[in-house]
Amino acid sequence: MVYTAKIGPSVLSSDLSQLGRECERMMECGADYLHLDVMDGPEQWVKPIAAAGANQYTFHLEATTNPGNLIKEIRESGMKVGLAIKPGTTVEELAPWARQIDMALVMTVEPGFGGQTFMEDMMPKVSWLRSQFPSLDIEVDGGVGPDSIHKCAEAGANMIVSGSAVVGSDDPRSVIALLKNVVIEAIQKRSLDR
């Protein structure tokens, strides 16, 4: 297994009038990466986001008619590739692309706005991906926080996007540390169980 625990606060939940400061604050609190949601047109943003310094670009399978071309364009722009699926999309629809991407994102809410309730019934998708593609980075996004992290980690997610639970916390450093520790423990347990 080559994947590691990574926690990425979602800047969607930040004070957008202080975005630069909020990003710095999250990194100072122990974030491994920052997660930025762009709600429209995955193809048009590849080059601008690469130019802005992003190292990974994740797009929704449902938002493009040609995933293969978009994967190629993202790679050629010097970024890693993530592929996301909404709750209504089966994991089998993502599977044909799994060996061409660096990360699979299983949405645990309907994409579009923050503060939704975590959908535990998405965890079988995560488990299936982990069993089929053991070294793939698997991310979850939506309603993930201290109350739901154990379910995500046990299912096999190693990249955790958390918005309001981290950014809205009085102590983001502690929340990030808690999320990360739960994922690390689950990775270690999975390694011992093999």
Side-chain angles (χ1 to χ4, degrees), residues 21-35:
R21 179 67 199 118
E22 287 280 83
C23 291
E24 289 172 3
R25 183 172 73 100
M26 290 299 105
M27 296 307 288
E28 288 165 3
C29 286
D32 297 291
Y33 65 104
L34 298 172
H35 180 90

Side-chain angles (χ1 to χ4, degrees), residues 27 39-40 64 68 99 147 161 183 189:
M27 296 307 288
M39 307 290 183
D40 56 349
T64 184
R99 299 202 191 284
D147 296 339
V161 174
V183 176
K189 182 179 185 308

Side-chain angles (χ1 to χ4, degrees), residues 96-149:
W97 306 103
R99 299 202 191 284
Q100 297 177 44
I101 61 176
D102 300 290
M103 187 268 288
L105 165 54
V106 175
M107 291 297 299
T108 47
V109 295
E110 285 296 334
F113 57 97
Q116 295 179 64
T117 303
F118 173 76
M119 298 169 74
E120 187 177 345
D121 58 343
M122 295 299 110
M123 293 305 94
K125 293 181 182 182
V126 174
S127 298
W128 187 87
L129 283 167
R130 181 57 66 214
S131 70
Q132 298 299 308
F133 307 99
S135 62
L136 185 65
D137 276 329
I138 302 172
E139 185 175 65
V140 288
D141 179 8
V144 182
D147 296 339
S148 52
I149 187 61

Side-chain angles (χ1 to χ4, degrees), residues 30-109:
D32 297 291
Y33 65 104
L34 298 172
H35 180 90
L36 170 68
D37 292 292
V38 177
M39 307 290 183
D40 56 349
E43 289 92 348
Q44 70 183 347
W45 295 108
V46 174
K47 286 183 176 50
I49 287 179
N55 63 1
Q56 181 163 300
Y57 189 102
T58 302
F59 67 93
H60 273 269
L61 183 59
E62 307 86 0
T64 184
T65 55
N66 197 330
N69 275 0
L70 193 47
I71 289 169
K72 184 172 181 278
E73 184 180 347
I74 294 165
R75 285 237 186 272
E76 288 172 353
S77 295
M79 295 181 286
K80 289 183 173 183
V81 179
L83 183 56
I85 53 172
K86 299 194 307 188
T89 303
T90 68
V91 72
E92 288 82 7
E93 292 174 68
L94 182 149
W97 306 103
R99 299 202 191 284
Q100 297 177 44
I101 61 176
D102 300 290
M103 187 268 288
L105 165 54
V106 175
M107 291 297 299
T108 47
V109 295

Side-chain angles (χ1 to χ4, degrees), residues 184-194:
I184 289 169
E185 287 173 17
I187 290 171
Q188 290 171 340
K189 182 179 185 308
R190 181 170 273 109
S191 177
L192 292 173
D193 289 348
R194 293 190 107 203

